[in-house]
Amino acid sequence: MKIAFHGAARTVTGSKHLITLNNGKKILLDCGMFQGMGPQTTPLNQNFGFDPQEVSCVFLSHAHIDHSGLLPKLVKEGFNGEIYATPATVDVAQVLLKDSAYIQKQDITYLNKKRKEQGRELLEPLYTEQDVEKTLELFVPVPYGKKVTRDENISFRFYDVGHIIGSATTYLTLKEDNKITTLAYSGDVGRYSDPILHSPQVFPQADYIIIESTYGNKLHLPIESYAEDLYDNIMETCIGKKGKLIIPAFSVGRTQEVLYGLNDLEIEKRLPDIKYYLDSPMSTKVTDIVKQHPESFNRSVQKLMLTDKDPFSFKGLKYIADKRESQALNSDHSPMVIISASGMAEAGRVKHHIANSIENWRNTILLIGYCEPQSLGGRLKLHPETVTIFGKPFNVKAGIKSIDSMSAHADYNDLSQYLANQDPQEVKQVFVVHGEPEVQAEFKRRLNKKGFKDVIIPEIHQEFGLS
């Protein structure tokens, strides 16, 4: 048995981990798109490093594009097996993948217009909406905890990992040559104090573990304070400076947490009386899906829903769907809060809002999640004097703020708790993925101190034999 790491290897995007059994069966854990990596992004997304036609099945940990975004390309290039995921992940992936295809179509149309004028070769998208439709036909929804035997070699269970709605630890039981090997893949690990979702579930002892490490060297601030942080930023920017508060937020997870926090402030009768906009059609669709899966909510949210049927809405919130309505917000100079995708500010409507707001000192850009260093959000976190957006330089006069406590990724304490049910002496190897190299190195040292002896930080396309 072998495993090769074709993404999220010494970086935080593009998760793809390929297991090859001795009989030739190939199992793919996630099929994510690389995002926000500058000039490297396109070449990394064009080449898998393996033949999609040879893959037997896929296990999808969750719907985020950096874990699911190349599934339609996989299908386009010949994959025709099952894609196993939780029901909520299937629902969310449908929206995100269709949106990804649409964005690619728009971007390629724009780029090809210029390339045609220059007499250059025209580009093609990674995949189309038709490829997405074919991909959706291959999804097999499997609820948490249900044991599924795919064939004589492969059985599995999903365990709730608390990162976003539907996210799961994939626990594989693999049989070959009359020997059983168990492998646990964390996907992205959530927090044990998430305001909306359940804490990560305990999973059985594993021979091998693949674990993310996004914040493997950090300790988050208490997440309970994030509604107060939202309030402070609204008061400072919208009430104090009469400006706009622009919040780049991932459509899945962060958007719902912001809405939930603002709803909390309304319940406490402290929500400032200004305009609030959710300007992202995809975020609106995902929020509707989240509402359809209350089984994923923790006890506090379920208790609240006895008296508040919609904990993600509040007085004054307006959903923006029409593009012209979105553009009109740029000419409205009254105080307001705009929540819009994407979370890294690398694409989507929020990028336009930032471009139209960043040179006004009254405004604030509030970053609330992880931003890849080369993304617009990552560059803004460095508080530059100027920043390039859509190829044009802008003077950064708006305030740049962050709420680090809102991360959906586990910090090193959460990751340690996630592994606490494992006997380190029984774990043959731990593979650390989905993190920046210096973070992974520090997380590896922490794991060694906790008794995990063989901890590996794989490089891109590196392959290992599993004894």
Side-chain angles (χ1 to χ4, degrees):
M1 188 186 308
K2 297 179 291 187
I3 184 165
F5 297 87
H6 297 289
R10 307 198 182 194
T11 186
V12 294
T13 65
S15 291
K16 285 181 288 291
H17 316 303
L18 186 68
I19 299 169
T20 303
L21 302 183
N22 292 340
N23 62 8
K25 288 181 183 177
K26 296 181 186 290
I27 303 163
L28 186 60
L29 302 173
D30 285 349
C31 191
M33 182 183 289
F34 288 93
Q35 297 174 294
M37 296 190 67
Q40 303 176 63
T41 308
T42 298
L44 284 169
N45 283 328
Q46 287 176 335
N47 300 294
F48 284 115
F50 57 87
D51 184 351
Q53 297 183 66
E54 295 179 355
V55 177
S56 304
C57 59
V58 177
F59 293 92
L60 180 60
S61 67
H62 64 290
H64 275 153
I65 288 297
D66 64 324
H67 290 257
S68 71
L70 288 187
L71 282 170
K73 178 177 167 60
L74 193 77
V75 172
K76 179 181 178 181
E77 295 188 9
F79 170 73
N80 195 36
E82 306 93 344
I83 303 171
Y84 297 103
T86 66
T89 292
V90 174
D91 291 344
V92 176
Q94 177 175 341
V95 175
L96 267 58
L97 293 175
K98 286 182 178 180
D99 184 74
S100 175
Y102 175 77
I103 289 173
Q104 288 181 60
K105 181 181 177 181
Q106 297 296 104
D107 289 348
I108 289 293
T109 300
Y110 174 76
L111 290 171
N112 279 344
K113 185 178 179 181
K114 288 189 173 183
R115 294 175 74 91
K116 188 174 182 179
E117 293 171 355
Q118 297 165 352
R120 299 169 65 190
E121 183 181 356
L122 300 185
L123 303 173
E124 290 187 3
L126 292 168
Y127 51 83
T128 65
E129 293 179 35
Q130 289 72 31
D131 296 317
V132 172
E133 292 296 339
K134 292 178 183 177
T135 303
L136 297 176
E137 295 174 2
L138 301 178
F139 272 98
V140 179
V142 177
Y144 293 125
K146 180 181 179 180
K147 183 178 179 180
V148 176
T149 300
R150 181 189 184 269
D151 55 40
E152 68 277 10
N153 301 113
I154 305 167
S155 61
F156 69 95
R157 276 193 175 99
F158 288 134
Y159 294 87
D160 193 343
V161 76
H163 173 60
I164 63 169
I165 187 167
S167 60
T169 297
T170 302
Y171 187 85
L172 293 171
T173 301
L174 307 173
K175 184 178 180 181
E176 57 179 5
D177 303 326
N178 293 317
K179 181 183 176 184
I180 299 295
T181 300
T182 55
L183 183 147
Y185 170 49
S186 72
D188 288 346
V189 182
R191 310 218 13 220
Y192 284 83
S193 55
D194 190 279
I196 298 172
L197 303 177
H198 293 296
S199 295
Q201 284 182 315
V202 169
F203 59 94
Q205 182 69 44
D207 297 315
Y208 297 92
I209 297 172
I210 306 170
I211 187 168
E212 68 118 327
S213 58
T214 313
Y215 287 114
N217 68 337
K218 288 185 173 62
L219 191 62
H220 294 314
L221 294 171
I223 202 167
E224 292 84 358
S225 66
Y226 86 95
E228 201 64 35
D229 292 332
L230 288 171
Y231 174 79
D232 291 343
N233 278 280
I234 294 170
M235 291 300 294
E236 179 184 344
T237 298
C238 304
I239 305 302
K241 297 192 291 185
K242 308 298 181 186
K244 294 180 180 178
L245 182 63
I246 313 295
I247 306 179
F250 292 109
S251 295
V252 190
R254 298 295 67 69
T255 291
Q256 290 76 44
E257 283 190 11
V258 171
L259 296 177
Y260 184 75
L262 295 175
N263 180 64
D264 245 9
L265 293 174
E266 184 188 45
I267 291 172
E268 296 173 359
K269 303 188 184 304
R270 295 198 301 138
L271 186 68
D273 186 16
I274 57 170
K275 301 172 184 176
Y276 296 87
Y277 297 101
L278 178 57
D279 184 19
S280 169
M282 183 170 67
S283 296
T284 300
K285 291 177 185 176
V286 170
T287 301
D288 288 339
I289 291 171
V290 169
K291 293 174 185 178
Q292 294 167 20
H293 289 275
E295 72 279 0
S296 294
F297 301 157
N298 61 34
R299 290 181 182 178
S300 296
V301 180
Q302 292 187 7
K303 183 178 179 181
L304 174 62
M305 290 178 69
L306 296 175
T307 55
D308 183 354
K309 292 184 179 180
D310 189 351
F312 305 105
S313 187
F314 48 88
K315 182 181 177 182
L317 176 64
K318 183 176 180 180
Y319 295 88
I320 301 292
D322 186 77
K323 185 178 179 181
R324 288 169 296 182
E325 283 188 88
S326 174
Q327 293 169 337
L329 296 180
N330 294 320
S331 56
D332 183 348
H333 300 295
S334 60
M336 65 180 69
V337 175
I338 301 175
I339 307 155
S340 186
S342 72
M344 293 190 193
E346 190 63 14
R349 293 181 179 182
V350 76
K351 196 170 182 179
H352 294 272
H353 290 308
I354 291 174
N356 281 278
S357 305
I358 201 162
E359 293 192 321
N360 187 333
W361 68 272
R362 296 181 184 276
N363 303 326
T364 300
I365 316 300
L366 181 61
L367 302 163
I368 60 172
Y370 177 82
C371 293
E372 213 285 333
Q374 296 185 63
S375 67
L376 176 57
R379 288 181 279 135
L380 288 175
K381 279 193 170 186
L382 298 176
H383 298 274
E385 292 185 4
T386 62
V387 68
T388 300
I389 308 174
F390 300 121
K392 178 184 174 182
F394 289 83
N395 294 316
V396 181
K397 295 183 179 178
I400 308 297
K401 298 287 189 71
S402 298
I403 302 179
D404 294 329
S405 64
M406 287 191 70
S407 173
H409 284 273
D411 60 17
Y412 63 73
N413 271 353
D414 291 317
L415 291 171
S416 295
Q417 188 170 346
Y418 174 76
L419 293 175
N421 67 304
Q422 296 291 297
D423 180 352
Q425 303 302 316
E426 296 295 321
V427 178
K428 296 178 180 179
Q429 288 175 315
V430 178
F431 296 96
V432 176
V433 297
H434 205 286
E436 298 297 336
E438 64 277 6
V439 176
Q440 293 181 313
E442 186 170 334
F443 184 51
K444 175 180 177 177
R445 288 192 290 270
R446 290 181 181 277
L447 291 178
N448 289 150
K449 288 180 180 178
K450 291 185 176 295
F452 294 97
K453 294 179 181 179
D454 196 355
V455 180
I456 298 170
I457 304 172
E459 297 180 11
I460 188 75
H461 302 310
Q462 190 172 6
E463 186 174 71
F464 299 85
L466 305 183
S467 60

